[in-house]
Amino acid sequence: MSIDIATAAKVAKLARIKVEDDALPALAQEFNDILGFIEQLNEVDVDGVEPMVSVTPMRLKRRADVVTDGDQPEKVLKNAPDAREGFFAVPKVVE
Amino acid sequence: MLDLTFDTPTPKTIAGAKYDWELVIGMEVHAQVASKAKLFSGASTKFGAEPNSNVAFVDAAMPGMLPVINEFCVEQAVRTGLGLKAEIHLKSAFDRKNYFYPDLPQGYQISQLYHPIVGEGEVIVDMEPGIARRVRIERIHIEQDAGKSIHDMDPNMSFVDLNRTGVALMEIVSCPDIRGPEEAAAYIAKIRQILRYLGTCDGNMQNGNLRADVNVSICRAGQYEKYMETQDFSHLGTRCEIKNMNSMRFIQQAIDVEARRQIAIVEAGGEVHQETRLYDPDKGETRSMRSKEEAHDYRYFPCPDLLPLEIEQEWVDDIAKTLPELPDEKKARFVGDYGLSEYDASVLTAEVISADFFEKVASTAGDGKLAANWVINELFGRLKKEDHSIEDSPVSPAQLAGIIKLIKSDTISGKIAKDLFEIVYTEGGDPDAIVEARGMKQVTDTGAIEAAVDEIIAANPAQVEKAKANPKLAGWFVGQVMKATGGKANPKAVNQIVAQKLKD
């Protein structure tokens, strides 16, 4: 797998990370180094091996349908750069 | 015998400038799970709360907060799957669907792309008695809802409320088996009905608790059949997705408008591009949501915060045991057991509460057909007039059954029964007692009726001559006798006696 400059720019945009044009070649190269390293795993034969999702012998924990949280709008909004009348206020986003 | 047989409806065709076109529609219905708490947090799901008051730190995506799944929501998804006769996957898993939007603080929605909890099922969409479309369900998965953005409170800002963030949704994905706008509306209505029977979603479309994304494409006659034979989508046209519809009327309009847009493009030699569009009911057009296109490279990957969801077959079996009788079975039983027409059975089984009301009336009155007539024509008609629903019916099943029993025993005539119904509806009371107290009993005493007939005949010799020449005019005498007896004479007896007397 090879990441070119256009792909690096696209990934940066999707992740909302600003990358200047002149930094893109180096970024693409870093991606390639990382992916190349990971690709070594392809050498392992995993035919018939079930994917392991956790190293601990645990099952997904479940909870009952009970309201135990909420009623704390001031805490939820505390770190908001802008909040008005109980809402988060953000620059206009509209289709 | 629980199934009613049916024929397949004719697909809707739209005439273009050059050819006739058929429509192919698939739907993704988002149904809010009727749970008290959210899917991964203990915050309330209650509608209409103060902004940001139903928010846990998990929902606000505060650093370090971890999701813990609400078991009830899983149960409702399984229940819905069973209700749609679908296969239940004992092992499913959660994935992250990544995108940025102010009402999605996590920066991703937790969903189930690769391993949904429910697999293939089906739903029978009734169009009219004896005609229905079998629509295949591809899958149902569980996912989080997003928050709500309000754009009209300030000219430069959008306001975000996270109360809905993290509420559990079931996304019910159909195969492209829906063949017209009316079928699409009927499909949503049927899904809504089944969900309400199951109790897994309240089906409130106005509040957005049930909404749909609609995939529309067009094809020439014969292409769809090739697709069905091969399941190869290349036989069909390119589809466009109309997002976020929560009105049956708008869904129909949007499909029609979108199909015509695609036909115009294709007939002009152009190509339809697969994209997401939004329906604008004011302008009657669909518009591309171009800004969303690029952003919607979702980069799904398994959610590292959640282990796979493993459920037990015994649990699924226990849930299956608690399923209620579903609309199709109930309708078939009403047709079979009470001798109702399929149409009447459909009306009565639209809501569980109507069906239960009817069954109480029918069993107490001992007459299914008469009970169906009275519930549908008199009660529903009267309730509708005042914009009331069956929940607030002032007439109880026992009272309505009482009226019907009085008709059956020939104690009152059908006409008087309607007056009696009106009294019971507006004033309440026991039908038997009202009939007794107000002298509404039908006169079946032939002597009394004969006397009334004789009186009318004696008073109208000219009419008698005419009626003798033309027996059809006998009806006039019947009407006069009914009037003279205040509508209480047994109409059958009056008819006989009038006919007899005019012959003499």
Side-chain angles (χ1 to χ4, degrees):
Chain A
M1 181 158 184
S2 165
I3 302 287
D4 59 16
I5 290 172
T7 309
K10 188 182 171 200
V11 171
K13 189 175 178 196
L14 287 172
R16 298 294 189 277
I17 295 172
K18 186 174 179 183
V19 180
E20 299 299 342
D21 282 354
D22 57 4
L24 283 172
L27 182 65
Q29 187 52 50
E30 275 180 39
F31 277 141
N32 281 321
D33 291 347
I34 294 165
L35 290 171
F37 175 72
I38 293 168
E39 265 170 19
Q40 292 180 70
L41 290 173
N42 288 345
E43 291 163 21
V44 183
D45 179 7
V46 291
D47 266 5
V49 180
E50 213 181 303
M52 182 176 72
V53 290
S54 170
V55 290
T56 53
M58 266 183 73
R59 305 205 28 188
L60 182 66
K61 209 183 143 193
R62 306 177 198 175
R63 39 170 261 277
D65 183 31
V66 182
V67 176
T68 54
D69 212 333
D71 269 329
Q72 45 173 1
E74 55 306 313
K75 284 186 184 162
V76 166
L77 293 166
K78 197 173 174 196
N79 295 324
D82 192 357
R84 301 177 204 179
E85 300 182 50
F87 294 94
F88 291 92
V90 300
K92 195 130 193 146
V93 274
V94 69
E95 285 296 330
Chain B
M1 178 63 193
L2 282 176
D3 274 329
L4 294 169
T5 53
F6 57 85
D7 293 324
T8 304
T10 318
K12 160 111 174 175
T13 54
I14 295 182
K18 296 179 183 159
Y19 312 107
D20 282 349
W21 296 89
E22 289 184 5
L23 277 60
V24 180
I25 300 157
M27 288 173 99
E28 295 160 18
V29 173
H30 301 261
Q32 182 179 321
V33 175
S35 64
K36 296 189 192 79
K38 294 185 179 180
L39 180 56
F40 293 118
S41 87
S44 168
T45 59
K46 209 168 180 142
F47 183 81
E50 287 296 308
N52 291 304
S53 58
N54 291 346
V55 182
F57 289 147
V58 180
D59 310 314
M62 292 298 174
M65 303 310 296
L66 287 171
V68 183
I69 198 163
N70 182 335
E71 184 167 46
F72 178 82
C73 295
V74 177
E75 182 181 338
Q76 301 317 300
V78 170
R79 202 171 159 77
T80 302
L82 293 169
L84 296 175
K85 300 178 174 50
E87 76 188 287
I88 306 299
H89 296 153
L90 297 181
K91 194 168 174 181
S92 64
F94 292 95
D95 305 294
R96 289 185 179 179
K97 177 181 181 178
N98 300 280
Y99 66 94
F100 285 104
Y101 206 72
D103 58 22
L104 186 81
Q106 288 171 155
Y108 55 83
Q109 175 192 34
I110 301 178
S111 181
Q112 297 190 298
L113 178 69
Y114 300 112
H115 303 286
I117 187 162
V118 179
E120 291 173 13
E122 67 168 36
V123 52
I124 306 298
V125 180
D126 318 270
M127 298 307 297
E128 51 188 281
I131 301 205
R133 174 78 66 193
R134 187 187 301 272
V135 175
R136 293 168 298 159
I137 301 296
E138 190 185 305
R139 57 187 283 157
I140 304 174
H141 60 257
I142 309 171
E143 63 183 24
Q144 297 176 300
D145 204 348
K148 200 171 136 196
S149 301
I150 299 163
H151 304 295
D152 55 7
M153 282 175 68
D154 186 286
N156 306 311
M157 309 295 280
S158 288
F159 285 16
V160 179
D161 175 8
L162 300 182
N163 281 350
R164 216 178 56 189
T165 305
V167 167
L169 299 178
M170 299 176 281
E171 178 168 331
I172 304 165
V173 183
S174 86
C175 290
D177 293 352
I178 301 161
R179 305 304 312 283
E182 296 79 14
E183 287 186 28
Y187 170 77
I188 286 262
K190 189 59 179 277
I191 292 280
R192 180 175 181 276
Q193 182 190 27
I194 293 172
L195 292 172
R196 284 175 58 83
Y197 265 63
L198 293 168
T200 58
C201 168
D202 68 13
N204 187 330
M205 296 185 78
Q206 220 166 3
N207 290 356
N209 296 357
L210 188 73
R211 49 193 200 266
D213 298 340
V214 187
N215 287 286
V216 181
S217 70
I218 52 161
C219 69
R220 298 279 300 281
Q223 290 300 108
Y224 185 79
E225 287 68 22
K226 283 186 196 161
Y227 154 71
M228 282 305 262
E229 234 168 73
T230 59
Q231 294 299 306
D232 177 356
F233 287 102
S234 69
H235 294 293
L236 302 177
T238 305
R239 68 174 196 267
C240 286
E241 182 182 17
I242 313 166
K243 277 271 180 208
N244 230 355
M245 310 283 301
N246 68 344
S247 137
M248 306 222 194
R249 189 160 59 94
F250 289 160
I251 286 173
Q252 296 189 60
Q253 289 172 2
I255 291 170
D256 190 70
V257 163
E258 175 58 18
R260 287 175 197 279
R261 185 189 71 89
Q262 294 180 13
I263 290 167
I265 292 174
V266 174
E267 291 199 339
E271 254 180 59
V272 173
H273 298 289
Q274 187 174 336
E275 61 180 356
T276 309
R277 300 181 69 86
L278 211 55
Y279 178 61
D280 180 340
D282 295 329
K283 294 195 178 139
E285 62 176 29
T286 63
R287 273 200 304 276
S288 177
M289 298 172 76
R290 282 193 204 292
S291 58
K292 282 215 167 177
E293 283 311 297
E294 196 186 356
H296 282 195
D297 181 342
Y298 293 126
R299 295 151 295 146
Y300 279 99
F301 64 88
C303 183
D305 286 343
L306 291 158
L307 287 163
L309 174 57
E310 288 174 90
I311 56 176
E312 305 73 34
Q313 185 61 49
E314 300 83 74
W315 191 49
V316 175
D317 294 342
D318 286 345
I319 297 170
K321 278 181 212 143
T322 67
L323 283 201
E325 183 182 36
L326 288 165
D328 290 343
E329 284 89 51
K330 204 183 269 295
K331 189 172 86 172
R333 182 167 63 80
F334 280 14
V335 170
D337 288 5
Y338 296 108
L340 305 188
S341 70
E342 200 186 322
Y343 177 81
D344 284 355
S346 297
V347 174
L348 292 169
T349 55
E351 298 280 350
V352 180
I353 183 162
S354 314
D356 288 350
F357 192 104
F358 160 75
E359 287 213 82
K360 279 187 204 141
V361 177
S363 63
T364 313
D367 190 324
K369 274 188 178 173
L370 211 47
N373 273 340
W374 276 82
V375 171
I376 295 172
N377 298 324
E378 302 307 323
L379 182 62
F380 286 178
R382 190 68 173 82
L383 289 169
K384 204 173 169 187
K385 214 156 113 191
E386 287 177 32
D387 219 10
H388 282 157
S389 62
I390 186 95
E391 284 94 334
D392 345 297
S393 169
V395 179
S396 71
Q399 285 171 312
L400 190 53
I403 297 174
I404 294 169
K405 275 183 173 164
L406 288 166
I407 303 170
K408 278 177 64 88
S409 63
D410 268 340
T411 310
I412 56 174
S413 68
K415 189 179 166 299
I416 291 288
K418 289 188 186 183
D419 298 340
L420 175 60
F421 174 80
E422 188 58 30
I423 293 168
V424 173
Y425 191 97
T426 48
E427 301 169 29
D430 170 42
D432 284 328
I434 294 169
V435 164
E436 198 63 50
R438 306 196 187 190
M440 297 170 86
K441 274 193 184 165
Q442 179 162 254
V443 179
T444 41
D445 166 12
T446 44
I449 295 173
E450 262 180 66
V453 174
D454 285 339
E455 208 170 291
I456 305 263
I457 286 179
N460 300 282
Q463 285 289 340
V464 173
E465 285 313 306
K466 280 191 210 160
K468 278 188 172 163
N470 180 4
K472 279 186 195 157
L473 294 178
W476 183 83
F477 287 91
V478 176
Q480 293 300 308
V481 174
M482 293 307 287
K483 209 193 255 175
T485 57
K488 284 185 287 184
N490 181 329
K492 215 160 79 190
V494 177
N495 266 312
Q496 274 171 3
I497 293 167
V498 166
Q500 188 60 44
K501 296 259 173 195
L502 287 174
K503 241 191 260 171
D504 295 345

